[in-house]
């Protein structure tokens, strides 16, 4: 009888241990599934962003999951060599030229790890307030090099009030999403430069004193400056310049 009781207790311990193992495995699988779903959702949200402002707002929403994390700041250089700081405040994005010289070459080079690299000093001078330790995320810029050349660069800065050990989950989170952050930032920076270049081109084109038009093979006016339309109206080029109808 004692042997049966001992055997029964042993079996109960095995069953209990295996049940706990199964429960732990189930919880781990659920956590992995949730993590994967969140990652896919993040990719989808980033892929449909239409501006750098939306980019930061999506990232800001993700950062709220972590304690002691401040607003994200994006520092990037325009084709005219101005350095811009874009950040989110009270749900709104604000953009302003950096108030001091910023040497991107002194920042972590492309492909380096995410970490604390002293960006808080630059942001503190720019915003006129003390900054906590700032997590720096170097962004790999490739498409945008068509405007900037090989020196194209951008960085994300995130203020963190916790110690490095407590910031480890945030580091892992950002490291897993670094490629998505790189690709989307590169696309949006390129689109931003195209818009700026198009605007400058239109201002220059419209500012010319002589009437100028671009026409197709059928002599339809495809594009013209303001002076052209002031003098002629929207007609075929031979109607405007020679008074002919065909």
């Amino acid at each position: 009888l004692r042997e049966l009781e001992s055997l029964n207790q042993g079996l109960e311990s095995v069953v209990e241990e295996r049940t706990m193992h199964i429960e732990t495995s189930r919880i781990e699988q659920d956590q992995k599934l949730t993590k994967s779903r969140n990652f896919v959702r993040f990719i989808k949200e980033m892929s449909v962003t239409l501006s750098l402002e939306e980019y930061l707002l999506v990232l800001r929403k993700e950062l709220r999951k972590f304690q002691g994390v401040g607003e994200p700041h994006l520092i990037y250089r325009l084709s005219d060599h101005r350095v811009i700081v874009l950040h989110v405040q009270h749900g709104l994005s604000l953009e302003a030229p950096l108030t001091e010289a910023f040497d991107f070459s002194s920042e972590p080079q492309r492909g380096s790890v995410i970490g604390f690299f002293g960006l808080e000093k630059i942001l503190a001078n720019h915003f006129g307030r003390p900054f906590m330790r700032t997590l720096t995320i170097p962004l790999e810029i490739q498409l945008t090099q068509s405007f900037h050349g090989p020196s194209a660069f951008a960085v994300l800065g995130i203020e963190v009030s916790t110690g490095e050990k407590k910031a480890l989950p945030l580091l892992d989170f950002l490291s897993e999403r670094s490629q998505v952050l790189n690709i989307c930032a590169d696309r949006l920076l390129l689109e931003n430069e195209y818009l700026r270049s198009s605007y400058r081109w239109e201002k220059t084109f419209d500012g010319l004193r002589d009437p100028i038009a671009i026409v197709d093979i059928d002599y339809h006016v495809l594009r013209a400056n303001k002076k052209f339309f002031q003098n002629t109206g929207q007609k075929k080029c031979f109607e405007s310049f020679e008074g002919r109808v065909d």
Side-chain angles (χ1 to χ4, degrees), residues 76-84 97 147-149 192-193 196-197 200:
Y76 62 96
R77 181 164 45 211
L78 299 173
S79 55
D80 59 7
H81 302 294
R82 286 183 300 145
V83 177
I84 300 296
F147 281 94
H148 300 271
N192 194 40
E193 284 295 354
R196 290 177 185 270
S197 297
R200 288 195 297 268

Side-chain angles (χ1 to χ4, degrees), residues 139-150:
L139 298 176
E140 296 184 23
I141 303 300
Q142 298 178 6
L143 296 174
T144 319
Q145 289 180 10
S146 59
F147 281 94
H148 300 271

Side-chain angles (χ1 to χ4, degrees), residues 68-122:
V69 178
E71 307 290 0
H73 298 76
L74 177 64
I75 303 176
Y76 62 96
R77 181 164 45 211
L78 299 173
S79 55
D80 59 7
H81 302 294
R82 286 183 300 145
V83 177
I84 300 296
V85 179
L86 181 65
H87 70 288
V88 177
Q89 184 176 342
H90 305 304
L92 299 175
S93 59
L94 302 172
E95 180 183 85
L98 191 64
T99 52
E100 65 175 274
F102 183 72
D103 183 11
F104 282 94
S105 63
S106 67
E107 292 303 307
Q109 296 299 307
R110 287 183 287 273
S112 61
V113 296
I114 298 169
F116 297 92
F117 298 104
L119 188 61
E120 60 272 6
K121 296 178 182 178
I122 294 169

